[in-house]
Amino acid sequence: MSLILDEQFLSGFVTQSELDAYTGRLAAARERLHTPDGQPKGWRTLPCDTGEELLSAVETAARTIREEADILLVIGIGGSYLGAKAALDFLPGANGPEVLFLGNDMSPSHLSEVLSRCEGREIAVNVISKSGSTTEPAIAFRLVLELMQRRYGSEAARRIWCTTDPASGILRQMCEEEGWGRFEIPRDVGGRFSVLTPVGLLPIAAAGHDIRALMEGARTAQRLYDEPDHDLLLNPAYRYAAIQDILSRKGKSVELFGAYEPFASGLSLWLIQLYGESCGKDGKGLFPASAQFSTDLHSLGQYIQEGQRILCETVLDFADTGCGLTVPVLGSDHDGLGYLEGRSLGEINRIALMATAEAHWNGGVPVTLVTAPRRDAQTLGELFYFFELSCAVSGYLLGINPFDQPGVEQYKRNMFRLLGKPGYTGTEAK
Ligand code: PA5
């Protein structure tokens, strides 16, 4: 069983004839996606292209990390860490070193907290940066490098793995000079589309998860959603893009990714980055946000139900979370929960999901349910690929380039100017 789009709570917001009108536009989007034009589209065929050699190399490095480290420091920002974070939150049964993410902020308190957690524990490091020069991870790496050299001396190099561009960048150069372990991010795969490269695979494998199952799920998704060139409206990845486009053109401006399982919270953050950087340009795109239910039903829930009618919602639903917890039978009904005795928490949680979706829909919020079969690596691989593909199609439907992120540069130019970085004067980068 694969992903299912449940559209019952779109009724009244998206009609069949509106969807039918997308046939030609979806075909044009597919044509663009499949046409080489110098844009980084390599992620599209990555699942089927990834060979045994790379998977074995990642597993070997992961094994060394697992044998030698109590803590794996994963240094990266944006697409260089959110995929791994999503997977580590999502997948049950981690049995490797504790994975700590850093380099995604410059908070002195966070950085010193992470460094002090390393005291007395064996450390390995995976520094991840495609450009090799992003300031936040570069600063974190410098702090960690100082610690590693102080702690391990010449042995430090054996504990550092670097994931970066195959040919250029400062990190690549440092890696060659210092003899650290090295993995490459393919040139034609951009940061936020890189979770299925060593960017995501190494931390995921080091934590003890099955990257082969993850890739198998992604391969299934590539075959299901990317390869067929007919009936694009029956292809859930293309159909989901059309639905979002219709809702956006009808005045919705916020896409709220909701989930009823905390294990999906990292996935929501990954989705926010994927959609935010890919589709938020030229004054277009739904603003991606996330909500964690039931928690947020008692905060954002009020706004979702009755605030500005600018929201649409995508709910990640899991048919089976593999957890058999039931409401205990107590023999008394003081808490008034006797009517739930013996029922599974999974069932109750899904009923809450359906009840909430219905309420939001009645309140003017269209809800798309994306139902995944299980909580496992294969399903996650399929989810990653499904959303990458659908997001790229969304970008083309909006008429923007989903593979660049020019807006991210503005803050960097200002920051470099204020920090006095050589080469930066005024707001102009030299
Ligand atoms: O999706 C993207 O391209 C970005 O989010 C990058 O991943 C992020 O800016 C980090 O860049 P880098 O890997 O070059 O340090």
Side-chain angles (χ1 to χ4, degrees):
M1 189 169 120
S2 282
L3 304 180
I4 293 171
L5 277 193
D6 181 338
E7 298 172 21
Q8 61 180 301
F9 302 114
L10 290 172
S11 171
F13 292 97
V14 177
T15 66
Q16 190 53 49
S17 61
E18 285 167 336
L19 281 166
D20 289 342
Y22 271 72
T23 308
R25 296 175 61 204
L26 291 178
R30 185 177 188 281
E31 179 66 26
R32 276 195 79 184
L33 197 55
H34 283 241
T35 305
D37 58 2
Q39 293 298 324
K41 299 174 183 172
W43 55 271
R44 194 178 61 72
T45 53
L46 196 68
C48 292
D49 289 349
T50 301
E52 175 59 31
E53 203 183 330
L54 178 65
L55 293 179
S56 296
V58 169
E59 285 170 340
T60 303
R63 206 172 305 121
T64 306
I65 293 170
R66 291 155 59 74
E67 281 163 8
E68 300 205 350
D70 305 315
I71 288 186
L72 172 64
L73 297 174
V74 176
I75 303 175
I77 193 167
S80 287
Y81 95 101
L82 284 162
K85 164 103 181 83
L88 267 49
D89 283 0
F90 190 96
L91 297 171
N95 57 10
E98 183 182 5
V99 178
L100 299 177
F101 292 97
L102 71 169
N104 51 71
D105 60 42
M106 291 186 284
S107 152
S109 51
H110 178 224
L111 285 164
S112 26
E113 200 180 296
V114 171
L115 295 178
S116 63
R117 282 174 72 177
C118 293
E119 275 166 31
R121 301 173 78 190
E122 298 297 338
I123 315 164
V125 181
N126 182 199
V127 54
I128 308 168
S129 177
K130 186 168 165 71
S131 63
S133 57
T134 307
T135 310
E136 289 85 348
I139 289 177
F141 186 46
R142 185 182 263 238
L143 285 163
V144 168
L145 197 52
E146 193 272 332
L147 168 70
M148 296 294 284
Q149 287 170 346
R150 192 161 25 89
R151 168 107 51 107
Y152 298 109
S154 59
E155 287 295 293
R158 286 197 314 106
R159 293 173 169 269
I160 300 174
W161 281 264
C162 174
T163 309
T164 190
D165 186 87
S168 64
I170 301 169
L171 192 56
R172 161 92 196 184
Q173 203 180 315
M174 287 169 79
C175 188
E176 272 172 19
E177 283 165 12
E178 303 291 336
W180 302 327
R182 192 176 73 214
F183 285 97
E184 296 179 345
I185 310 172
R187 275 268 155 106
D188 58 355
V189 179
R192 58 191 172 275
F193 291 84
S194 69
V195 59
L196 300 171
T197 73
V199 169
L201 296 179
L202 181 56
I204 295 169
H209 299 299
D210 183 353
I211 54 169
R212 287 173 192 267
L214 185 79
M215 292 306 285
E216 182 52 41
R219 263 195 300 279
T220 301
Q222 184 184 330
R223 291 187 191 118
L224 278 174
Y225 308 128
D226 182 59
E227 287 170 9
D229 63 353
H230 53 280
D231 290 339
L232 290 175
L233 275 173
L234 297 180
N235 176 328
Y238 279 76
R239 191 175 176 92
Y240 178 64
I243 289 167
Q244 284 187 312
D245 202 63
I246 291 169
L247 294 172
S248 158
R249 285 170 201 270
K250 286 187 170 178
K252 297 299 183 188
S253 51
V254 177
E255 176 71 77
L256 192 63
F257 292 101
Y260 289 71
E261 291 286 354
F263 67 71
S265 61
L267 188 60
S268 299
L269 294 179
W270 178 82
L271 284 166
I272 287 175
Q273 195 231 354
L274 180 69
Y275 278 91
E277 278 196 347
S278 301
C279 295
K281 38 198 90 142
D282 296 347
K284 298 177 186 171
L286 291 161
F287 179 84
S290 75
Q292 178 63 60
F293 299 134
S294 289
T295 305
D296 288 335
L297 293 178
H298 294 257
S299 61
L300 291 175
Q302 172 58 37
Y303 192 103
I304 299 169
Q305 195 66 45
E306 296 182 347
Q308 283 193 69
R309 301 298 72 196
I310 54 174
L311 294 166
C312 45
E313 202 178 317
T314 294
V315 172
L316 303 171
D317 171 33
F318 298 90
D320 178 8
T321 57
C323 181
L325 211 58
T326 56
V327 176
V329 179
L330 279 186
S332 69
D333 194 21
H334 296 318
D335 58 7
L337 292 181
Y339 74 106
L340 293 177
E341 275 182 1
R343 290 175 77 174
S344 97
L345 262 292
E347 181 205 350
I348 295 171
N349 200 27
R350 285 197 89 212
I351 288 173
L353 180 157
M354 296 306 276
T356 309
E358 186 184 340
H360 291 175
W361 170 62
N362 282 328
V365 178
V367 181
T368 311
L369 303 181
V370 178
T371 303
R374 286 173 304 278
R375 175 196 186 187
D376 61 16
Q378 223 161 322
T379 303
L380 182 62
E382 189 176 340
L383 280 165
F384 279 142
Y385 191 89
F386 169 88
F387 281 112
E388 284 176 355
L389 179 64
S390 193
C391 176
V393 174
S394 284
Y396 286 138
L397 292 179
L398 287 167
I400 50 98
N401 176 4
F403 303 118
D404 64 2
Q405 55 283 330
V408 177
E409 296 310 311
Q410 185 63 46
Y411 99 92
K412 292 186 192 169
R413 283 194 290 271
N414 292 349
M415 179 175 72
F416 293 152
R417 173 173 50 83
L418 294 172
L419 287 171
K421 181 172 178 168
Y424 286 80
T425 59
T427 55
E428 293 289 312
K430 285 188 179 171

